[in-house]
Amino acid sequence: MSPTTFPSGPEHGHVTFLGAGPGDPGLLTLRAVEALTNADVLVAGHEVLDVVRGHARSGVAVVNTDSEIPTGYPPTPVPGTGAPQLTVVDGSSTTAAVPVVRDAAHLVMEAARGGRRVVRAVSGDPGLDAYAAEEMLACVRAGVPFEVVPGVAAAVGVPAYAGVPLRDAQGADVRFMDARTASDRCWTEVGASDGTVVVSTTLDTVGAAAGELVAAGRKPDTPMTVTVAGTTTRQRTWTATLGTIAQTLKQAKVLPSPEGGRPVIAVVGERSAAAQRDQLSWFENKPLFGWKVLVPRTKEQSASLSDQLRSYGAVPHEVPTIAVEPPRTPQQMERAVKGLVTGRYEWIAFTSVNAVKAVREKFEEYGLDARAFAGIKVAAVGEQTAKALIAFGVKPDLVPSGEQSAAGLLEDWPPYDPVFDPIDRVFLPRADIATETLVAGLIELGWEVDDVTAYRTVRASPPPAETREAIKGGGFDAVLFTSSSTVRNLVGIAGKPHNVTVIACIGPATAKTAEEHGLRVDVMAPEPSVHKLAEALADFGLKRRAAAVEAGDPVTRPSERRPGARRRRSTT
């Protein structure tokens, strides 16, 4: 990995100490996102980088404080600038390694030199971080200006996600303590109180912390909740008492961590609403909480679908099955675009987001923009295609009011009228897959159609071996198929999903293709829409959860089922 040279500038830069919250990237403040988008250097540990890195600009220098110190550190000055040279990775890279100085304050100072804007991100809130104050004092001594962007503290955010309010209408006292550094006096004071206590500890020592509270005077039957991986889709919460928590964790087969114990947040107290957690646990009760869902679509197409799945608590994994390439013979597309500018067409019909992208790229090639659509009526096959057009600066004149498909588009398409329509021709940019239904329907309505190949769809490259193994081995809880081609291509490049994986299809044709490939369809969208498909999967997950609760069984994900367990067919 070659060193990256930071640009020279004023002797001192600027440092933003930023609270990244307890783990959910959605808890970052607006000010935090603004600071990240303007940062030249991002300094953080590995887990914090996973939270904040997506908001950093492309090309930001990323310094991982968890990495090993490389040979030859500290860095040597860049010739002619006096600024140090750090080995970093580009913000777009997935590599997590870079240099570290165990004295993080020194690392931040080195990064700030040369006029650079440094974001030092820490978990939770900087005011509660054990070392942030020392790093701020180092900035003061070095004359480096800094600011602090508060974050959601884990001791507050995790109980909220676990469905455990810290105060009730009676306004009980709330105390916060870190069991890893608490003194005997601290234990005694907390034990003498009847208020709520929020304890930061580790999964391996939570039983010992409960014992300390009992020894200090708390009753063994005092309610207690323990949450691990709070605010993330790995979150799990156990409800017990001070006297039973150790046995509860043992029965749940929670094993000691080889890393020395995962951090947890425990809430103790009669008024901590632990008894109401079944009703208040909004996060872990999401319909697809923790489900790993495979989304086999192109990257551009899967973004909004993945966002919707996340809102249901799922962890989407995007695997492109289709790659989009230019047509083999571009001349037809070039003639059509020129005809569009010279007034050859009355309408242009877009049947996919990729068609919008293909026309837009051709426009940019010719130095054109959305103004070239002036005087031309524009149709979009559905909402996602319409959004792509609006992003281009074009508001479609026609979007199906019913089914979002070629058939739905034809239902709303007006017949050609020689009195009101000066031109009788429609430009239809499409994939290399034929669109006979739409073309035939438009001709029947009296229109002439220029059916033009704007792009080609080809099978994508196989995903990494780890993903292929997860697909075939039952590592995914569900897979969403949005077309017959996604079924064929996924099976072709990665293999057939395991029989415990829930199969969800967008419509009957896709379901038929899935069954032809030996897959059992569990969920089918009520109408051919990717968003309705996601809703149908969420409804399936909700019913599955309710059935487990009603039967008194633990709520598990499909991938956690015992090997060989039979799956009932449940198409919704």
Side-chain angles (χ1 to χ4, degrees):
M1 181 166 55
S2 60
T4 295
T5 302
F6 293 109
S8 61
E11 181 180 356
H12 300 305
H14 180 275
V15 179
T16 298
F17 291 92
L18 184 149
D24 182 355
L27 294 180
L28 288 170
T29 65
L30 293 175
R31 179 68 190 94
V33 172
E34 180 184 3
L36 288 166
T37 57
N38 292 321
D40 299 313
V41 184
L42 176 57
V43 182
H46 177 69
E47 289 189 358
V48 176
L49 283 175
D50 289 343
V51 176
V52 302
R53 196 168 183 173
H55 293 285
R57 63 181 178 82
S58 177
V60 66
V62 178
V63 180
N64 186 343
T65 59
D66 294 333
S67 304
E68 294 297 327
I69 302 175
T71 304
Y73 198 90
T76 56
V78 177
T81 68
Q85 180 171 284
L86 296 178
T87 303
V88 299
V89 292
D90 183 85
S92 61
S93 170
T94 56
T95 307
V98 290
V100 65
V101 176
R102 287 187 174 86
D103 180 358
H106 176 67
L107 177 60
V108 171
M109 294 304 99
E110 292 292 337
R113 291 179 182 171
R116 294 184 289 273
R117 294 163 296 188
V118 180
V119 167
R120 171 66 167 114
V122 299
S123 179
D125 180 80
L128 296 175
D129 184 86
Y131 304 105
E134 296 179 12
E135 297 175 26
M136 294 177 198
L137 287 172
C139 287
V140 173
R141 290 190 294 268
V144 176
F146 71 91
E147 66 175 332
V148 178
V149 177
V152 176
V156 176
V158 171
Y161 270 54
V164 184
L166 302 182
R167 302 189 74 175
D168 59 11
Q170 285 70 44
D173 290 338
V174 181
R175 301 195 178 194
F176 301 87
M177 64 178 295
D178 191 332
R180 295 162 291 190
T181 59
S183 63
D184 292 340
R185 179 180 177 182
C186 182
W187 287 113
T188 301
E189 290 179 353
V190 170
S193 168
D194 63 353
T196 299
V197 185
V198 182
V199 185
S200 300
T201 182
T202 67
L203 194 57
D204 296 350
T205 59
V206 66
E212 291 278 7
L213 287 170
V214 172
R218 287 291 178 121
K219 296 178 180 179
D221 62 354
T222 303
M224 181 181 196
T225 61
V226 174
T227 303
V228 64
T231 78
T232 75
T233 50
R234 304 184 309 278
Q235 175 177 308
R236 189 172 180 187
T237 302
W238 296 271
T239 301
T241 65
L242 288 174
T244 62
I245 187 62
Q247 183 64 23
T248 297
L249 294 177
K250 182 178 180 180
Q251 290 177 347
K253 298 181 180 179
V254 181
L255 302 176
S257 170
E259 293 85 11
R262 290 175 288 175
V264 301
I265 297 294
V267 182
V268 179
E270 297 289 349
R271 299 178 179 179
S272 65
Q276 305 174 43
R277 208 186 79 80
D278 288 344
Q279 302 174 48
L280 302 178
S281 180
W282 62 275
F283 185 57
E284 290 176 59
N285 285 340
K286 286 190 172 187
L288 300 176
F289 182 77
W291 284 38
K292 288 183 66 178
V293 180
L294 189 68
V295 184
R297 311 184 74 204
T298 63
K299 190 80 171 178
E300 295 80 2
Q301 292 173 320
S302 58
S304 61
L305 178 56
S306 293
D307 288 343
Q308 185 179 1
L309 290 169
R310 289 188 189 96
S311 74
Y312 298 135
V315 184
H317 186 88
E318 299 167 359
V319 175
T321 58
I322 298 172
V324 177
E325 296 183 358
R328 289 191 175 89
T329 54
Q331 292 82 3
Q332 187 184 24
M333 182 66 171
E334 291 171 357
R335 286 195 300 269
V337 170
K338 290 177 181 177
L340 187 131
V341 175
T342 57
R344 174 178 172 82
Y345 302 106
E346 180 77 8
W347 282 90
I348 179 171
F350 291 97
T351 57
S352 70
V353 172
N354 286 324
V356 177
K357 182 181 178 183
V359 171
R360 184 170 184 171
E361 289 176 349
K362 189 61 67 174
F363 269 34
E364 291 171 353
E365 182 181 330
Y366 291 144
L368 301 172
D369 56 28
R371 289 173 292 184
F373 286 102
I376 299 172
K377 296 173 186 175
V378 180
V381 76
E383 293 179 5
Q384 294 306 306
T385 304
K387 286 180 181 178
L389 282 166
I390 292 170
F392 186 20
V394 180
K395 183 179 180 180
D397 300 280
L398 175 62
V399 180
S401 56
E403 179 182 318
Q404 297 190 357
S405 65
L409 193 60
L410 284 172
E411 286 184 9
D412 292 347
W413 197 289
Y416 171 67
D417 189 326
V419 176
F420 296 102
D421 298 313
I423 305 170
D424 66 351
R425 193 168 294 274
V426 178
F427 173 23
L428 178 60
R430 58 164 176 83
D432 53 343
I433 301 171
T435 53
E436 289 91 349
T437 301
L438 184 55
V439 173
L442 289 172
I443 293 174
E444 189 175 339
L445 289 170
W447 297 94
E448 295 289 334
V449 182
D450 280 0
D451 189 16
V452 178
T453 300
Y455 62 96
R456 292 185 298 124
T457 56
V458 298
R459 182 177 291 180
S461 301
E466 181 181 1
T467 301
R468 298 198 302 272
E469 291 169 5
I471 291 171
K472 293 181 286 188
F476 286 99
D477 298 290
V479 56
L480 298 185
F481 287 120
T482 56
S483 66
S484 293
S485 62
T486 58
V487 177
R488 291 189 293 266
N489 289 342
L490 181 71
V491 173
I493 65 176
K496 188 167 68 173
H498 193 276
N499 67 344
V500 301
T501 306
V502 174
I503 305 297
C505 295
I506 200 168
T510 303
K512 181 180 179 182
T513 303
E515 291 171 346
E516 289 172 350
H517 283 78
L519 301 176
R520 180 177 299 168
V521 178
D522 301 284
V523 179
M524 191 159 65
E527 57 185 77
S529 159
V530 292
H531 297 300
K532 291 296 182 181
L533 176 58
E535 287 180 6
L537 180 63
D539 185 59
F540 176 91
L542 198 61
K543 291 177 181 177
R544 188 176 180 277
R545 172 184 288 272
V549 172
E550 185 178 351
D553 297 331
V555 177
T556 59
R557 303 191 309 273
S559 61
E560 295 173 319
R561 298 183 113 178
R562 289 178 289 109
R566 295 184 62 187
R567 236 178 14 154
R568 288 181 297 173
R569 182 168 182 168
S570 176
T571 303
T572 58

